[in-house]
Amino acid sequence: MNPEHYIDGFLAAVPTAQRAAYHQHAAEAARVFRKHGALEIIEAWADDVPEGKLTSMPMAVKLKQDESVVFSWIVWPSKTVRQRAMQAVMNDPDMPQNMPFDGQRLIYGGFTPLLIA
C-alpha cells in the first residue's frame, strides 16, 4: 500500500446463519469492485469482538443475538479511482442486489492512509 491509496471501510451485522450466503455475496461483489479498479478486498468475520460498555463494534451495528460482526475494507489506487468506480459499481449489472444482511445498519466511510507500517 502507498500513501496515495484510498480505503473504504465497512462494518455490518450479518445473521450468523447467513455466513455462507454472505460469503457468496461478498465474492460476487469483490469481482465487480476489482473489475472497476479495486486493488484489494478484505472480508473478515468476527472471532474475538468484545461487547463494550460505552462503545464497541457490536453496539455500533446494533448487533442482535443471532448475528455476527463483519469488518471489511477495499483498497483503491486513489480517491479519484474510487469515486469514479463507485458509480460504475452501482450501475454494473453483475453487482449482486440481494444483501444477506440489514443494509440500514451498515456503517461505511472513506479513509486516507495515515500510517503504513
Side-chain angles (χ1 to χ4, degrees):
M1 183 171 350
N2 72 48
E4 271 105 57
H5 287 170
Y6 195 76
I7 298 134
D8 278 319
F10 307 90
L11 192 62
V14 178
T16 304
Q18 294 292 319
R19 183 177 174 148
Y22 182 83
H23 183 266
Q24 179 66 32
H25 172 85
E28 291 172 11
R31 283 190 286 278
V32 176
F33 283 114
R34 281 232 184 239
K35 178 167 73 171
H36 294 286
L39 300 173
E40 183 175 45
I41 298 104
I42 305 293
E43 296 282 348
W45 194 267
D47 178 59
D48 184 15
V49 180
E51 286 284 337
K53 292 188 181 186
L54 294 176
T55 63
S56 69
M57 288 181 170
M59 291 170 71
V61 295
K62 298 183 179 180
L63 193 72
K64 297 176 184 171
Q65 191 167 358
D66 62 342
E67 295 177 325
S68 296
V69 173
V70 172
F71 176 53
S72 310
W73 64 95
I74 302 172
V75 178
W76 298 96
S78 67
K79 184 175 183 179
T80 302
V81 171
R82 178 263 203 165
Q83 288 175 308
R84 186 173 53 242
M86 288 308 263
Q87 185 64 41
V89 164
M90 294 306 135
N91 293 324
D92 192 308
D94 293 331
M95 186 64 173
Q97 298 301 309
N98 297 324
M99 297 185 299
F101 61 94
D102 181 358
Q104 292 182 328
R105 290 186 286 145
L106 175 68
I107 297 169
Y108 60 92
F111 300 83
T112 57
L114 180 63
L115 172 69
I116 302 168

